[in-house]
C-alpha cells in the first residue's frame, strides 16, 4: 500500500507497511479509512450547523439534529481511538497497547445530552411562534 520508506505514526506507535503482511496492511488501511470517515462526518455536521447559525436558525430541529450527530461523531472518534490503541496487537507489529482514554466518548455523550436541550428549545420556539 505504501513505498518502502513510508510509515504511519499514531500515539507513539509506528507502523511500517513494507514490513507487514498483506492482511495486516488491509487492517491498517481499513482503520485509516474509518478514521478519515469519522473526521469527514464530524466536519460535515459542523459545516451544516454553522450554515444553520449563519441563517439565524439557531433553535430549530435541524440544528438540534446536527448537534446530536456531532455528539455521536465524537463518540465514534472515541471508538476509533480505542481501535488505534489496540491496533498493534491486531496487526502483530510488535508494539504494545497505547495509552487508552475514553474522553471523546464522554464528551460525545455530553454533547448528545445538550442536543436534547436544544431540541426542547426548538419545540418551545415553534410553539411560541404559533402563539399570537
Amino acid at each position: 500500500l505504501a513505498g518502502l520508506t513510508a510509515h504511519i505514526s499514531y500515539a507513539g506507535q509506528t507502523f511500517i507497511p513494507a514490513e507487514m503482511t498483506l492482511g495486516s496492511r488491509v487492517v491498517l488501511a481499513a482503520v485509516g479509512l474509518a478514521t478519515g470517515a469519522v473526521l469527514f462526518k464530524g466536519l460535515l455536521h459542523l459545516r451544516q450547523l454553522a450554515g444553520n447559525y449563519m441563517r439565524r436558525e439557531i433553535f430549530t430541529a435541524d440544528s438540534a439534529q446536527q448537534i446530536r450527530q456531532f455528539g455521536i461523531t465524537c463518540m465514534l472518534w472515541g471508538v476509533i481511538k480505542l481501535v488505534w490503541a489496540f491496533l498493534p496487537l491486531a496487526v502483530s507489529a510488535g508494539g504494545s497497547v497505547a495509552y487508552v482514554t475514553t474522553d471523546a466518548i464522554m464528551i460525545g455523550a455530553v454533547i448528545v445530552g445538550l442536543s436534547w436541550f436544544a431540541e426542547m428549545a426548538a419545540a418551545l420556539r415553534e410553539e411560541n411562534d404559533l402563539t399570537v
Side-chain angles (χ1 to χ4, degrees):
L1 293 175
L4 295 176
T5 60
H7 66 278
I8 300 168
S9 296
Y10 180 82
Q13 301 287 341
T14 301
F15 302 97
I16 303 171
E19 297 176 359
M20 297 177 155
T21 64
L22 180 62
S24 296
R25 289 182 191 187
V26 169
V27 169
L28 184 62
V31 172
L33 285 173
T35 302
V38 169
L39 288 173
F40 181 76
K41 177 178 172 27
L43 289 174
L44 177 71
H45 293 299
L46 282 176
R47 181 181 178 275
Q48 291 175 346
L49 183 63
N52 287 347
Y53 286 174
M54 284 191 300
R55 289 186 301 275
R56 298 186 185 270
E57 297 174 0
I58 297 171
F59 294 112
T60 62
D62 185 49
S63 292
Q65 180 66 22
Q66 295 304 324
I67 293 170
R68 176 175 291 117
Q69 287 299 315
F70 183 71
I72 291 170
T73 303
C74 285
M75 289 191 281
L76 287 173
W77 181 251
V79 171
I80 289 291
K81 284 175 59 175
L82 288 174
V83 169
W84 274 104
F86 289 99
L87 190 62
L89 299 177
V91 298
S92 302
S96 61
V97 175
Y99 184 69
V100 177
T101 62
T102 59
D103 56 347
I105 295 172
M106 303 291 265
I107 291 169
V110 168
I111 292 173
V112 168
L114 289 174
S115 75
W116 180 65
F117 287 113
E119 190 174 294
M120 288 177 28
L124 285 172
R125 182 184 152 266
E126 288 175 7
E127 182 180 319
N128 193 20
D129 287 345
L130 294 175
T131 304
V132 177

